Amino acid sequence: MIQRRSAPPLAPAERRQKLLGAERATETFGRPGRHRVALGFANSYEIGMSNLGFQWVYRLFNREEDVTCERFFFDAQGSGRRGPRTLESDTPLAAFPLVAFSISWEMDYVHFLRILADARIPSDRRERTDDDPIVLIGGDCARINPLPLTPYADAFALGDGEKLVPGLAEVLRANLPRAAALERLGTLKGLYVPSVHGEHAETASEGKIVVDQFRSAEGPTREPPHTTILTPHTELSDKLLIEVARGCSEMCRFCWAAYAMAPQVRIPASSILAVAERCRPLTSRVGLIATAVADHPDILPILEGLSHLGFHIALSSIKIDAISEELLAILARQGEKSLAIAPEAGNERLRRAINKKVSDESLREKVRLIARAGFTNLKLYLQVGLPGETEQDVDDLVTMVDDLRLVMLEEGRKRGRLGTLVPSVNAFIPKPHTPFETEVLEDPDELARKLKKLDAAFRKMPNVTFRGMPVNEAIWEAYLARMGLESGPILAQAAAGAPVRTLVREHRETLLSVARPAARIDTARRGVFDLASRQASPWGFISKS
Ligand code: SF4
């Protein structure tokens, strides 16, 4: 048998040429500005260019008078002796006055540290001099819990790019020496500068840093954030991403995005369709981005309008109560066969406890509509280890999946095509800034047992494909979400390439002391914000107002 070999990786110059050659911009910018910023995504080009926040901030910087923004990415192959460089001009990162990172997943902290080391930018911010760039971190992680990265980042941008970029550009244009630039950054709302405000923002005004984010009142005039550069070399090949709403009206108690981004901001349908129409000559694929897709009062006119423009529309996961025959018909018309929904728990009792307002009856009906519309692949996002979960709740996950499977089969038989149900089960991870921030990760042995039980039950069900989160990943993720300054050596080991299983094995006690703190949960007050615990937490100095 002939074994197929994967093509050898391209040399950096060839890869750069290939990537740039395939890109098409949805906006062109004026002549290059004198003030340069390198904007990096702490993951690969393919993932970074699929991230709307990164794409949008790139546009916002380049729109600033006399500013040029260039991109860089993490290269898992390593950047070699040349070090990481920007895509546009092949310039080493250390040559920029400002190196900004967009970090959306805690897992990417490790890449961030490796990029700094490869770029020969001192990892410790206190060792940087006037010849080194200012290292700034933005994105969701900066806003959730910046403390563990304070030894490495000169500044954190907490909030929405539209609010923060103009101030950053102003400081860039002022061309100040390092200390003065940091002082100036420290005066901007939404900017957290550890050397100015202290490692716990103890010298900031009222000892807190206020996130600078959009308010819903500003919605009607807003341009929807959308893809700046289209490329076939992304996970979402050539797809125009348009943000339709930020925040979610549901407020599930485990969901960081809903609480951090409240109040919800919705973009008017007319603005969304105007952007889509302008970009239509460049692509026929569109993806709608929102904290909860379809949680928009005008979702149907938006979908109809996009369909009328000849777009193939993709929605990632749809809010269950927003599912309707009309919405499904629009998606099915374009040949879509897969959909994802997030019931999270196996019964109404636990759903109510996490504030997910979906009844069993409604869930069954929505799944019936989905199957009837011709969708044959339905993914269900579920969790185990939720606060207050009982053994019965775990069993009910099995019963619910089986019940929905029978609904899918019943409808599928009528159409002559049986479908597949994919229960994707994650461990509940307590996230900062949510009413569940003081809850704990489930005991790892219990987690493993429950996942094994689910695996065994789902294996017996025809037309069901189970996906379960590895327990080590759950421990690591729960640690990353809430860690503090003790994380330094562990992150350094991870950045040096240690796999998650090694980190969990070698630092199990430390990781679990953060993921499962000993403090007892007051079950009577479960799901209610506890201000005292909040203030004592590593992220206690981040405030929304
Ligand atoms: S529906 Fe989804 S996005 Fe909205 S609060 Fe719940 S988990 Fe978060």
Side-chain angles (χ1 to χ4, degrees), residues 370-401:
I370 290 169
R372 204 173 274 165
F375 291 85
T376 50
N377 195 314
L378 180 61
K379 194 172 199 176
L380 303 172
Y381 290 115
L382 305 169
Q383 297 188 52
V384 278
L386 281 162
E389 181 186 81
T390 63
E391 198 61 28
Q392 185 60 51
D393 295 324
V394 181
D395 293 339
D396 284 350
L397 278 174
V398 178
T399 311
M400 179 189 77
V401 169

Side-chain angles (χ1 to χ4, degrees), residues 4 28 57 112 169 262 303 368 408 425 427 508:
R4 189 182 293 187
T28 45
V57 170
F112 157 71
L303 294 180
R368 189 175 296 285
M408 289 269 290
V425 184
R508 194 175 179 87

Side-chain angles (χ1 to χ4, degrees), residues 139 212 491 533:
D212 201 4
L491 284 182
S533 310

Side-chain angles (χ1 to χ4, degrees), residues 247-259 291-292 295 319 342 344 355-356:
C248 177
S249 58
E250 193 86 1
M251 308 303 272
C252 301
R253 294 196 169 95
F254 58 85
C255 179
W256 170 80
Y259 287 87
T291 311
D295 188 24
K319 205 170 149 233
E344 308 292 356
N355 206 27
K356 186 105 201 174

